[in-house]
Amino acid sequence: MADTASAANVSDREKTAARLLSSSARKFYDPEIDLDWNAPLVEGKGYMVPERISLYGTDLWRRLSEEQRLELGRHEIATVASVGLWFEVLLMQMLLKAVYNGDPGRQHEQYALTEVAEECRHVTMFAKMVKRIDAPAYGPPAYVHRLAKVLPTLAYGPAMFGSILVAEEILDRLQREMAADESLQPLIRMVNRIHIMEEARHVTFAREEVVRGMGSLGPAELRYQRLMIALVSFFITRSLINPQAYAAVGLDPKEAWRAAHRNPYYRETMRYSGERIMSFLDENGLVGAPGMKLWRQTHLLG
């Protein structure tokens, strides 16, 4: 569970919510207005940092032409964006459940609604980006899509907010690299900049909720929360690459998917992406039995 020092450093809920509401009012983007969706894509520019593409460094990667590598990056960024879109829809349902059971007069619930509004814009932005780069919205595997319908019912408390953090902070670390890389498409970079700025508020909100929630868990509830966050994190991370993205560049989907998960470069990318959030979750007691087998399969642990 969270230690006393961590809990002591968490602001009062209403004070945090008031600060985040003020920030949301002052600094926000409307992707419909602030992005030029009609601007042409730049020939020769990439869609992902090459070293973060799942097959980078493998024998399959070495056999691909430069054009195929750019194409694989296009399909993988579409996968990441459409998985992000899918999870943010689930996130909104979970936040709305919390508001439904809370007091709408409090700033805490009002910020949760503000976050929902921002996530609505992000979902639209990701959907428009995938459409603009002319790639499929792969999303998660069909069985994960079906299973996830029950998540807003089963997830609550620290596991709910911790799962939100896993999805947001993994993407945030990769997006910061992409936003700074001038070799990538300007549209991709701007989408990442917008998401980074607004997600910073969401991360603050969720981290404080995790610390508050962990302070009151008994042994049985702690095991449930640990299992739930490990399970959700497993499905999120396993959905970030899609076998059909490999088929789009002429590779055997099963062979390429296996190669990606064995690839030490891809495993390092996942570890790097999850470094900050895994440290936070571990410090606050959410990484442990009975979920350790699932955590190891996410590639997030060092």
Side-chain angles (χ1 to χ4, degrees), residues 4 19 21 135 143 157 168 262 273:
T4 305
R19 177 168 54 83
L21 281 166
Y143 80 97
E168 290 183 341
R262 292 194 300 264
S273 303

Side-chain angles (χ1 to χ4, degrees), residues 90-101:
L90 289 171
L91 181 162
M92 288 187 280
Q93 293 179 54
M94 292 187 285
L95 286 174
L96 286 171
K97 182 181 75 171
V99 173
Y100 187 85
N101 293 323

Side-chain angles (χ1 to χ4, degrees), residues 39-53 61 66-81 128-135 174-175 177-192 249:
L41 298 173
V42 181
E43 187 174 350
K45 283 191 178 284
Y47 298 84
M48 285 186 71
V49 176
E51 291 80 2
R52 301 305 182 193
I53 295 174
W61 177 263
E66 186 59 30
E67 183 180 354
Q68 286 175 306
R69 291 173 180 178
L70 288 174
E71 186 74 354
L72 181 56
R74 182 168 70 91
H75 284 269
E76 289 206 355
I77 196 65
T79 304
V80 171
K128 289 175 74 71
M129 186 195 82
V130 171
K131 180 76 172 177
R132 181 65 188 86
I133 66 174
D134 194 25
L174 295 175
Q175 286 176 327
E177 283 188 334
M178 288 188 280
D181 193 329
E182 295 185 1
S183 72
L184 301 185
Q185 294 286 343
L187 175 65
I188 300 294
R189 296 177 67 205
M190 190 60 191
V191 166
N192 287 326
V249 296

Side-chain angles (χ1 to χ4, degrees), residues 28 51 61 79 85 124 126 144 149 179 191-192 198 237 240 257 260 270 295:
F28 69 92
E51 291 80 2
W61 177 263
T79 304
L85 182 162
T124 302
F126 289 154
V144 175
K149 292 179 181 179
V191 166
N192 287 326
E198 297 191 336
T237 55
L240 291 176
W257 191 88
M270 293 303 297
W295 278 122

Side-chain angles (χ1 to χ4, degrees), residues 198-231:
E198 297 191 336
E199 288 298 320
R201 294 189 288 263
H202 305 175
V203 166
T204 296
F205 186 70
R207 279 185 172 237
E208 291 199 7
E209 288 302 302
V210 167
V211 175
R212 290 189 191 99
M214 291 300 291
S216 58
L217 299 183
E221 183 64 29
L222 176 61
R223 289 178 65 83
Y224 177 81
Q225 295 288 327
R226 283 176 170 176
L227 179 60
M228 180 58 61
I229 189 172
L231 186 63

Side-chain angles (χ1 to χ4, degrees), residues 84-275:
L85 182 162
W86 156 75
F87 192 76
E88 290 198 336
V89 170
L90 289 171
L91 181 162
M92 288 187 280
Q93 293 179 54
M94 292 187 285
L95 286 174
L96 286 171
K97 182 181 75 171
V99 173
Y100 187 85
N101 293 323
D103 178 357
R106 293 188 304 198
Q107 293 186 96
H108 181 264
E109 278 75 6
Q110 290 169 19
Y111 179 72
L113 289 171
T114 299
E115 182 171 334
V116 169
E118 290 177 345
E119 297 294 14
C120 281
R121 294 198 298 270
H122 295 170
V123 166
T124 302
M125 178 173 68
F126 289 154
K128 289 175 74 71
M129 186 195 82
V130 171
K131 180 76 172 177
R132 181 65 188 86
I133 66 174
D134 194 25
Y138 291 103
Y143 80 97
V144 175
H145 191 273
R146 289 193 296 271
L147 284 173
K149 292 179 181 179
V150 303
L151 182 62
T153 300
L154 298 178
Y156 58 87
M160 182 186 94
F161 286 102
S163 299
I164 291 170
L165 286 167
V166 168
E168 290 183 341
E169 295 208 39
I170 286 175
L171 294 182
D172 180 78
R173 205 143 202 220
L174 295 175
Q175 286 176 327
R176 288 178 186 275
E177 283 188 334
M178 288 188 280
D181 193 329
E182 295 185 1
S183 72
L184 301 185
Q185 294 286 343
L187 175 65
I188 300 294
R189 296 177 67 205
M190 190 60 191
V191 166
N192 287 326
R193 287 194 194 103
I194 290 173
H195 198 244
I196 289 164
M197 187 195 77
E198 297 191 336
E199 288 298 320
R201 294 189 288 263
H202 305 175
V203 166
T204 296
F205 186 70
R207 279 185 172 237
E208 291 199 7
E209 288 302 302
V210 167
V211 175
R212 290 189 191 99
M214 291 300 291
S216 58
L217 299 183
E221 183 64 29
L222 176 61
R223 289 178 65 83
Y224 177 81
Q225 295 288 327
R226 283 176 170 176
L227 179 60
M228 180 58 61
I229 189 172
L231 186 63
V232 176
S233 299
F234 169 81
F235 284 126
I236 291 171
T237 55
R238 284 291 167 139
S239 298
L240 291 176
I241 52 176
N242 189 302
Q244 293 311 307
Y246 304 124
V249 296
L251 296 173
D252 178 83
K254 291 182 179 179
E255 179 190 7
W257 191 88
R258 288 194 296 267
H261 280 289
R262 292 194 300 264
N263 182 9
Y265 290 100
Y266 179 66
R267 288 174 175 245
E268 173 58 22
T269 286
M270 293 303 297
R271 188 207 62 77
Y272 167 80
S273 303
E275 189 174 36

Side-chain angles (χ1 to χ4, degrees), residues 279-296:
S279 175
F280 170 79
L281 295 176
D282 188 35
E283 288 172 4
N284 284 281
L286 269 177
V287 179
M292 292 309 297
K293 183 177 180 180
L294 290 165
W295 278 122
R296 283 189 287 272

